[in-house]
Amino acid sequence: MANVEIWRKRCRLGLFAFYGFAGFLHLAFPAPFLSITPDWVPDAPDVIMLTGVCEIAGAIGLLMPQTRRYAGTALALYAILVFPANLKHAADSLSAPTTSSWQWAYHCLRLPLQPLFVWLAIFSGGRKRPRHI
């Protein structure tokens, strides 16, 4: 059981760094995120700013024992909700006339990893498995 907690802590720290940095980028440099936001998203600049704030809040929440479970759940939901932007980014990038091999590699790896981000957030937050009856 101690081994699981060690990995949970490592994953928490990794997600803290990842989401904290991503949140900072959303706030400091919103243009790249605006370019991948689907057209049907209303008030895209405000949504990008809000997503940055949510990422930073979730990252900080993972480090606090009182909010860890909620932050993990919120970041898992966040990873699900931003998936349409990831799909649009991949579609736009891969259908461009000058698509490089690194873009193909990035998107072919990134899209299937989204469920892993969901799981990592839940795992890092400390959600317990249901007991078997």
Side-chain angles (χ1 to χ4, degrees):
M1 187 58 106
N3 228 5
V4 170
E5 291 308 314
I6 289 169
W7 278 104
R8 200 180 301 270
K9 183 177 181 179
R10 289 175 180 166
C11 291
R12 249 192 319 272
L13 293 174
L15 287 182
F16 168 77
F18 175 80
Y19 279 112
F21 185 64
F24 165 77
L25 291 176
H26 276 78
L27 297 176
F29 307 102
F33 301 101
L34 286 168
S35 70
I36 67 169
T37 302
D39 295 335
W40 50 264
V41 174
D43 303 317
D46 293 336
V47 170
I48 295 303
M49 185 174 63
L50 179 63
T51 59
V53 170
C54 288
E55 287 174 321
I56 292 169
I60 293 168
L62 280 177
L63 297 183
M64 300 170 55
Q66 308 89 324
T67 58
R68 185 171 293 152
R69 292 179 77 192
Y70 297 111
T73 301
L75 287 172
L77 290 172
Y78 174 84
I80 293 166
L81 293 174
V82 299
F83 194 62
N86 297 25
L87 290 173
K88 180 183 184 302
H89 184 207
D92 290 351
S93 181
L94 299 179
S95 65
T98 57
T99 301
S100 68
S101 58
W102 77 265
Q103 288 172 309
W104 276 98
Y106 170 79
H107 292 295
C108 288
L109 290 171
R110 174 69 176 91
L111 292 176
L113 286 177
Q114 195 72 5
L116 178 63
F117 281 109
V118 173
W119 180 84
L120 281 172
I122 292 168
F123 176 73
S124 297
R127 290 281 176 193
K128 304 292 185 202
R129 288 192 205 173
R131 290 194 171 122
H132 291 83
I133 299 176

